[in-house]
């Protein structure tokens, strides 16, 4: 008697990684979201979540967040499972998000339909509701000139000073920031059309034009760093 067994198991790969204050998160090719902390090896996540069609993940202080192919936003709480953000503060379905970032225990997204920026979360790191939890996402004041948000990053300081901010790169290469306690954006002083940027852990921003790099200290005035 000859019995043949065949398998069609495809090895899983890591599609994206993100990190927060105390946790890191990675997304596998089967849409499994895995969360690790400083004491757990990458091969042994402390929490795993199976959610169909997750395409992007990011890390916060004690939680991770993600969006799926329909732009729905998910919160992965280490001790409380996964939840979907159903509606925004206007009572409309909270969908069509194309980028998500965490700030402490809060979250920020760009929505695809109009490039609007939305914010919600625990303890309100941006102090828009006096430090209380914002359950349904609230909308930031639009960036002037009908500009479209291309990318967002979040920066914070110890104790959440006024330098805590959401930094935005627009499709026209300008940069803007929303600061703690102020939902109206101000433009950053960068002398070039910016293509991309990133932020350090404590309110430093590095912006890149075609060949030049600029350091935007504290999210305000820029300083030329060098040319590649």
């Amino acid at each position: 008697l000859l019995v043949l067994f065949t398998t069609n198991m495809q090895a899983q790969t890591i599609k994206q990684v993100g990190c927060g204050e105390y946790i890191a998160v990675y997304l596998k090719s089967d849409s499994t979201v895995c969360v690790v902390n400083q004491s757990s090896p990458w091969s042994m996540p402390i929490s795993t979540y199976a959610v169909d069609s997750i395409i992007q993940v990011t890390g916060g202080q004690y939680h991770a967040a993600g969006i799926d192919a329909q732009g729905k936003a998910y919160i992965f709480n280490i001790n409380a499972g996964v939840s979907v953000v159903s509606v925004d503060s206007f009572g409309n379905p909270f969908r069509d998000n194309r980028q998500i970032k965490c700030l402490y225990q809060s979250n920020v997204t760009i929505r695809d339909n109009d490039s609007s920026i939305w914010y919600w979360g625990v303890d309100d790191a941006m102090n828009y509701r006096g430090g209380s939890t914002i359950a349904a996402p609230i909308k930031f004041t639009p960036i002037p000139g009908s500009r479209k948000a291309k990318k967002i990053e979040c920066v914070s300081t110890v104790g959440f000073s006024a330098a805590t901010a959401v930094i935005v790169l627009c499709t026209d290469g300008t940069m803007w920031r929303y600061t703690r306690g102020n939902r109206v954006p101000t433009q950053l002083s960068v002398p070039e059309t910016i293509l991309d940027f990133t932020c350090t852990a404590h309110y430093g921003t590095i912006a890149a034009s075609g060949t030049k790099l600029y350091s935007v200290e504290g999210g305000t005035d820029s300083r030329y760093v060098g040319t590649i």
Side-chain angles (χ1 to χ4, degrees):
L1 177 64
L2 177 63
V3 180
L4 298 178
F5 294 93
T6 62
T7 61
N8 191 27
M9 297 181 64
Q10 187 175 17
Q12 297 300 319
T13 58
I14 294 177
K15 295 175 62 178
Q16 189 192 15
V17 296
C19 64
E21 187 171 354
Y22 296 116
I23 61 100
V25 57
Y26 60 93
L27 174 65
K28 293 167 59 177
S29 54
D30 64 355
S31 294
T32 299
V33 177
C34 300
V35 178
V36 298
N37 62 17
Q38 61 267 40
S39 60
S40 63
W42 281 83
S43 59
M44 297 180 64
I46 58 173
S47 300
T48 60
Y49 308 92
V51 180
D52 290 341
S53 69
I54 291 289
I55 60 172
Q56 189 180 134
V57 292
T58 186
Q61 187 187 35
Y62 296 112
H63 78 289
I67 54 176
D68 67 11
Q70 290 74 46
K72 292 185 290 185
Y74 294 81
I75 303 301
F76 305 99
N77 291 299
I78 294 175
N79 298 317
V82 59
S83 60
V84 63
V85 184
S86 301
V87 296
D88 61 29
S89 58
F90 297 104
N92 298 318
F94 192 58
R95 299 175 181 171
D96 301 317
N97 296 284
R98 62 175 153 87
Q99 188 184 7
I100 188 166
K101 290 291 181 179
C102 295
L103 173 60
Y104 185 59
Q105 297 178 39
S106 301
N107 313 279
V108 186
T109 66
I110 301 175
R111 294 179 82 171
D112 219 11
N113 55 348
D114 60 357
S115 291
S116 56
I117 301 171
W118 296 74
Y119 167 84
W120 77 100
V122 176
D123 294 334
D124 184 15
M126 293 291 282
N127 200 35
Y128 292 153
R129 292 281 174 83
S132 61
T133 294
I134 299 175
I138 60 175
K139 186 178 181 179
F140 283 2
T141 301
I143 296 172
S146 300
R147 290 179 170 89
K148 302 296 184 182
K150 175 183 176 182
K151 181 179 180 180
I152 50 175
E153 295 283 358
C154 301
V155 294
S156 65
T157 59
V158 176
F160 298 119
S161 72
T164 298
V166 176
I167 311 294
V168 184
L169 172 64
C170 291
T171 54
D172 66 352
T174 59
M175 294 185 67
W176 300 75
R177 70 170 182 159
Y178 296 88
T179 55
R180 179 173 165 83
N182 185 6
R183 274 192 277 171
V184 178
T186 56
Q187 188 171 1
L188 301 187
S189 176
V190 184
E192 300 270 351
T193 297
I194 298 302
L195 301 177
D196 195 17
F197 79 104
T198 190
C199 295
T200 63
H202 293 292
Y203 71 93
T205 301
I206 300 295
S209 65
T211 59
K212 298 178 182 178
L213 294 174
Y214 292 90
S215 172
V216 187
E217 299 297 337
T220 53
D221 295 327
S222 63
R223 176 174 59 86
Y224 173 72
V225 177
T227 301
I228 62 171

